[in-house]
Amino acid sequence: MKESLDRRAALKQLSYLVGGAVATPTLLGILQSCEQAPPPLEWQSSFLSEDQARLVSKLADMIIPETKTPGAIEAGVPYFIDSMLDQCLETEAQQMFLDGLNRLNSLSQSHHSQDFLKIEDDQQTAILKKIAAEDHTPDEYSGFGRNPEAKTFFKQLKQLTLLGYFTSEMGATEALEYLQIPGGYDGCTTLIPGQKAWALY
Amino acid sequence: MNINIKAKPQNTYDAIVVGTGISGGWAAKELCEKGLKTLVLERGRDVKHVQDYPTMQKHPWELPYGDRLSKEDLAKHHVQNRTGYTVKQSTKHWWVNDLENPYSEVKRFDWIRGYHVGGRSLLWGRQSYRLSEMDFEANAKDGIAVDWPIRTVDIAPWYDYVESFAGINGQAEGLTQLPDGKFLPPMEMNCVEKHLKTKVAENFNGRVITIGRSANLTQPHRGRAQCQYRNMCIRGCPYGAYFSSQSSTLPAAVATGNMTLRPHSIVTEVIYDANTKKASGVRIQDAETKEFMEFYARIVFLNASALGTTQIMLNSTSDRFPDGLGNDSGELGHNLMDHHYRAGAAGVFEGFEDKYYRGRRPNGIYIPRFRNIDEQRSDYIRGFGYQGSASRENWMRSIKEMDFGADFKESLTAPGPWRMGLGAFGECLPYHENKVTLNREVLDVYGMPTLSIDCEFKENELVMRKDMINSAAEMLEAGGFADIQTYDSIGGPGLAIHEMGTARMGRSPKTSVLNKFNQVHTVPNVFVTDGACMTSSACQNPSLTYMALTARAADHVVKEVNKGNL
């Protein structure tokens, strides 16, 4: 059952298919630099096509790259986004997302005559910044909860990436501080320099 | 056909309690402890304490879709999800399937329900406040609806009693409009909340901000462990650290050996005996076998929730009561109330950057009512209280921004700015025309008539909301908050999940359904002690009052039985 296939399972599947190594952006870059057809997708997408899934992986990685802590790809975010698109987003929101992916490729084609995944890193960043600026509506959306649907593609992308990342085990326990059972409450602690935000709130 | 001759003795108890939520659990405990053999009927499935809380220990990454609902889940919970906060992957098993539990909305009404042993006692917000003399006097003073048949002197000892058992934390403040209780030690405010408390007291003539009074244990209490500050109460607590029927009242009832709990038992009507002029018992349909059965008792407590109880009473027709059990007044189903909320303000606090907190407090701050106490306003009557809290923003703060990448990611791993919100809960007046009726055109899956709900907030509530919003912004402004934004998102009545008033207490059978002991005026062995009994709504969260009224009614039952009156 698809629901029971969690992101860790997806990750295991991923590392198996690429020969035991976890697919880092660098590794993906190497694979993509070959002139041959792109390699098969390392995880089974439900909603996105393989090309779309590769693009989404790249975008998630651009938003949350690997730093001192794992990035979006290692945390299984592309799989998460695909499952959210498949199971949670309404048709209209799905279409907005797909249109957004097409906008990226159209911009890339018109500026560089190549698809987004084939252009240089700085070119990709410039295009994603342009999309972010186009989709920026500062007062319209401020978070989840009672206002769950993002109104533009970039906010969808960011919402899904951040939600997937910060609720993943790696995101919650490595990028943030995860405290499942606090045991007590201290309302006024002194923030230690470098102290991470709590993963649960 | 004399099936019942055989069945009658084995289906006969001293008392029957319908429902296992906050008030039903109390009825079960009190009646059993007084020695009555008590049958407790629950329309939903059984839920065993701890072992039937499947998500209580789940990590975020163990919940699909980041704990958000799938489209399929949403279809099943489209009404339940109207709150925007209650239904998640971690809680969806608690809420009714809206496809299987229809009702009709003449006007939008958000009926949020959980059908299982424990009911909404497992799901409630745990805020626990007493009503004051001002609240009990309000209807008489304003000439609205009918007078409450009780005053604080009648209920205060029972507030003491239920607080002492349930375990309510809070800070005594000595306010007449919000009486103090028997409190466990209060929870702590954080730096920004304390700051606002000081500024509001300075700028608004001593206006009080106190820590919320909640049914979470701040120390071990009667064999239950203290709160571990996970703030996952709604999933069910492995420590039994908040009050629920499972953690508190049902175990006490079980311990007496007098309770028989029967889940999957949908009560369709109370059986009225014209000879004795009392109820002889209840008729149920077994939700699993679909079989109809009857159970008999000297005493019947209806605790099926305000609307659930009313539905049963409306469906209990007889020659004597063609319009529903005990409905001589015509008030049964009328005077439906809920609190109106989702009005307030929020702002950012620039400062205390070196302060944070540890632990997730399942409670906020409370600003007791300050309107229409001494000075009376000309634009609306009654009042409101605020709930709120301050916290440092999390990663969600960045969704609206354009940035991405490594620096962006690192910035999100640190706590964001402090933000504080104040949201008011306002009193709703009892309007006769706000009502539920039986809809015999739409039957539920068991063939029982469903409810049609015709209810709206009116002028007094809508005018009050403007003050709720402005006063919140004013206080935040006085506290030095920046970027203050107000909000007004009223939704439908029902959204506060405080349905009340559809079988109200009163002094006269001509204008009310229940007397001062929650006894149906004209069917004295039937008691209603859930939200249906409320004569006015006040602005406080009502569950504590249901608890106190239930314990008081059970005490009255035994006195009456001993006198030979029941």
Side-chain angles (χ1 to χ4, degrees):
Chain A
M1 221 180 97
K2 189 157 53 52
E3 268 190 46
S4 65
L5 179 72
D6 66 11
R7 276 171 278 161
R8 288 193 69 75
L11 278 171
K12 279 181 196 152
Q13 193 182 0
L14 180 152
S15 50
Y16 167 75
L17 284 167
V18 297
V22 168
T24 62
T26 325
L27 178 53
L28 284 178
I30 291 164
L31 293 169
Q32 281 156 6
S33 69
C34 300
E35 283 303 306
Q36 297 156 356
L41 191 65
E42 297 84 353
W43 45 277
Q44 184 68 49
S45 63
S46 303
F47 177 79
L48 298 167
S49 71
E50 290 208 3
D51 284 346
Q52 289 165 340
R54 278 186 203 93
L55 180 53
V56 165
S57 295
K58 178 66 196 172
L59 294 169
D61 181 58
M62 289 171 72
I63 293 170
I64 300 284
E66 184 182 357
T67 53
K68 292 172 290 187
T69 54
I73 289 179
E74 200 182 345
V77 172
Y79 170 81
F80 175 83
I81 294 176
D82 179 66
S83 70
M84 291 293 285
L85 284 164
D86 188 46
Q87 292 295 313
C88 299
L89 270 65
E90 301 292 345
T91 312
E92 204 175 297
Q94 288 173 336
Q95 194 55 51
M96 182 163 73
F97 192 88
L98 296 181
D99 290 346
L101 297 183
N102 289 336
R103 273 162 68 205
L104 280 167
N105 272 330
S106 300
L107 272 177
S108 179
Q109 282 291 350
S110 67
H111 285 83
H112 310 291
S113 307
Q114 291 200 86
D115 275 354
F116 188 83
L117 284 176
K118 301 254 173 76
I119 60 179
E120 299 299 322
D121 283 358
D122 57 340
Q123 295 171 331
Q124 289 175 330
T125 302
I127 285 178
L128 190 57
K129 276 187 176 166
K130 189 171 162 57
I131 294 279
E134 278 176 18
D135 284 2
H136 188 53
T137 47
D139 296 320
E140 158 221 327
Y141 187 76
S142 59
F144 290 100
R146 290 175 184 147
N147 200 6
E149 290 289 322
K151 297 286 197 298
T152 63
F153 164 71
F154 186 73
K155 283 178 191 172
Q156 278 185 313
L157 176 68
K158 208 162 159 184
Q159 180 193 67
L160 292 170
T161 303
L162 298 186
L163 177 63
Y165 182 70
F166 288 112
T167 61
S168 74
E169 185 167 6
M170 285 176 183
T173 63
E174 297 184 50
L176 300 174
E177 189 168 350
Y178 185 74
L179 186 60
Q180 194 195 16
I181 306 171
Y185 179 73
D186 188 341
C188 282
T189 62
T190 298
L191 191 70
I192 303 156
Q195 185 179 341
K196 288 174 177 171
W198 301 115
L200 299 173
Y201 37 85
Chain B
M1 278 273 291
N2 276 323
I3 296 166
N4 281 342
I5 287 176
K6 249 186 181 172
K8 195 149 189 170
Q10 71 190 42
N11 283 4
T12 298
Y13 296 81
D14 295 328
I16 292 171
V17 175
V18 181
T20 58
I22 283 182
S23 68
W26 269 101
K29 169 186 176 300
E30 294 301 303
L31 295 170
C32 287
E33 287 182 345
K34 290 173 193 305
L36 277 64
K37 294 285 179 192
T38 304
L39 174 67
V40 179
L41 298 169
E42 165 55 51
R43 66 172 296 150
R45 67 191 166 94
D46 196 11
V47 170
K48 298 249 188 293
H49 189 38
V50 182
Q51 76 186 63
D52 288 335
Y53 305 153
T55 58
M56 66 180 182
Q57 306 278 28
K58 292 273 191 216
H59 300 292
W61 52 91
E62 294 173 326
L63 297 161
Y65 316 127
D67 209 14
R68 304 295 191 277
L69 291 184
S70 70
K71 284 177 280 188
E72 195 187 339
D73 297 325
L74 192 56
K76 286 183 201 157
H77 297 293
H78 63 275
V79 173
Q80 305 305 302
N81 190 51
R82 287 180 190 174
T83 62
Y85 72 97
T86 47
V87 192
K88 298 177 180 178
Q89 293 298 334
S90 52
T91 62
K92 64 183 183 184
H93 46 286
W94 297 134
W95 306 99
V96 298
N97 182 329
D98 288 312
L99 305 176
E100 293 170 1
N101 294 280
Y103 64 98
S104 305
E105 300 174 80
V106 177
K107 302 184 183 79
R108 175 178 166 180
F109 187 93
D110 305 324
W111 192 12
I112 314 297
R113 298 167 279 170
Y115 287 164
H116 48 255
V117 169
R120 292 182 294 194
S121 80
L122 284 168
L123 316 175
W124 68 312
R126 308 166 305 284
Q127 293 291 301
S128 301
Y129 301 100
R130 294 187 177 200
L131 268 57
S132 71
E133 198 70 351
M134 175 180 72
D135 298 314
F136 289 114
E137 287 175 347
N139 279 3
K141 187 170 141 271
D142 296 330
I144 297 240
V146 297
D147 187 19
W148 276 92
I150 58 169
R151 291 292 182 267
T152 49
V153 65
D154 301 301
I155 197 172
W158 297 102
Y159 276 132
D160 287 353
Y161 178 76
V162 297
E163 285 164 351
S164 300
F165 179 80
I168 311 295
N169 69 76
Q171 175 69 53
E173 300 283 0
L175 302 169
T176 54
Q177 75 272 34
L178 192 78
D180 294 329
K182 299 282 183 195
F183 295 138
L184 299 180
M187 290 185 176
E188 193 194 343
M189 289 188 200
N190 64 39
C191 305
V192 170
E193 292 162 348
K194 284 177 188 163
H195 165 80
L196 184 67
K197 175 187 169 76
T198 306
K199 291 291 170 195
V200 164
E202 284 170 11
N203 288 278
F204 297 90
N205 194 26
R207 189 181 295 176
V208 170
I209 298 186
T210 190
I211 187 72
R213 297 171 178 178
S214 82
N216 296 87
L217 302 182
T218 48
Q219 61 188 31
H221 185 71
R222 294 178 179 255
R224 294 160 50 206
Q226 72 199 60
C227 179
Q228 299 297 303
Y229 295 89
R230 306 183 327 140
N231 196 21
M232 293 180 183
C233 311
I234 197 169
R235 300 185 190 181
C237 182
Y239 314 98
Y242 71 90
F243 175 91
S244 65
S245 299
Q246 271 82 352
S247 71
S248 306
T249 48
L250 291 179
V254 168
T256 64
N258 289 328
M259 183 175 78
T260 303
L261 175 63
R262 194 177 197 286
H264 302 295
S265 304
I266 301 167
V267 173
T268 57
E269 63 185 292
V270 176
I271 307 162
Y272 180 72
D273 183 337
N275 295 322
T276 61
K277 297 184 175 168
K278 288 180 188 167
S280 58
V282 300
R283 187 167 292 119
I284 72 151
Q285 185 173 19
D286 187 298
E288 292 183 310
T289 66
K290 309 286 189 269
E291 182 190 1
F292 284 91
M293 303 171 73
E294 290 182 356
F295 293 97
Y296 310 97
R298 292 165 73 179
I299 307 291
V300 175
F301 265 67
L302 296 178
N303 300 94
S305 82
L307 298 187
T309 288
T310 304
Q311 185 175 16
I312 292 167
M313 293 176 81
L314 287 169
N315 202 42
S316 305
T317 54
S318 56
D319 290 343
R320 169 67 185 84
F321 294 112
D323 301 319
L325 189 79
N327 192 16
D328 289 345
S329 64
E331 295 295 336
L332 183 63
H334 291 266
N335 311 299
L336 175 58
M337 298 170 279
D338 181 31
H339 291 127
H340 61 104
Y341 84 124
R342 304 211 305 186
V348 170
F349 193 81
E350 290 157 2
F352 293 110
E353 282 102 349
D354 62 335
K355 295 295 176 194
Y356 205 16
Y357 40 80
R358 186 184 188 282
R360 299 182 294 279
R361 188 188 60 198
N363 188 14
I365 57 97
Y366 191 72
I367 305 181
R369 177 173 156 184
F370 51 83
R371 289 297 192 220
N372 293 325
I373 293 178
D374 297 320
E375 264 176 68
Q376 301 297 313
R377 293 177 68 98
S378 58
D379 54 345
Y380 67 87
I381 59 170
R382 314 291 170 95
F384 52 87
Y386 288 102
Q387 296 176 28
S389 62
S391 59
R392 295 195 71 156
E393 290 188 66
N394 60 32
W395 53 267
M396 290 181 201
R397 68 185 182 271
S398 76
I399 291 168
K400 62 180 186 295
E401 308 297 342
M402 292 190 282
D403 48 352
F404 58 88
D407 292 344
F408 159 78
K409 177 190 170 193
E410 292 311 309
S411 76
L412 280 192
T413 63
W418 284 94
R419 189 173 182 80
M420 182 156 188
L422 296 175
F425 281 73
E427 177 159 0
C428 170
L429 296 177
Y431 302 102
H432 178 79
E433 59 272 30
N434 277 348
K435 65 178 188 293
V436 297
T437 49
L438 268 195
N439 185 347
R440 297 184 189 280
E441 307 291 308
V442 180
L443 305 181
D444 69 11
V445 288
Y446 305 102
M448 186 165 169
T450 55
L451 285 182
S452 180
I453 309 180
D454 183 358
C455 183
E456 63 181 4
F457 293 123
K458 295 179 191 286
E459 186 71 10
N460 196 64
E461 291 78 41
L462 299 178
V463 173
M464 186 191 298
R465 290 178 78 76
K466 292 178 186 154
D467 191 24
M468 287 156 69
I469 291 158
N470 292 337
S471 298
E474 268 173 21
M475 286 188 280
L476 291 173
E477 223 168 87
F481 284 76
D483 192 19
I484 296 167
Q485 292 180 311
T486 61
Y487 62 93
D488 181 3
S489 173
I490 192 165
L495 212 51
I497 326 185
H498 294 166
E499 317 89 76
M500 288 177 267
T502 43
R504 71 182 175 198
M505 295 167 76
R507 296 175 188 274
S508 165
K510 291 187 180 133
T511 55
S512 60
V513 181
L514 309 173
N515 71 10
K516 65 178 177 180
F517 289 108
N518 296 72
Q519 222 166 347
V520 176
H521 283 297
T522 46
V523 192
N525 68 333
V526 176
F527 292 77
V528 175
T529 66
D530 59 23
C533 76
M534 299 289 279
T535 312
S536 72
S537 74
C539 65
Q540 297 90 318
N541 304 55
S543 298
L544 185 72
T545 299
Y546 308 162
M547 297 190 207
L549 289 173
T550 304
R552 181 172 174 269
D555 179 69
H556 180 70
V557 163
V558 173
K559 285 180 181 154
E560 289 296 288
V561 167
N562 290 342
K563 282 188 218 159
N565 292 340
L566 279 177

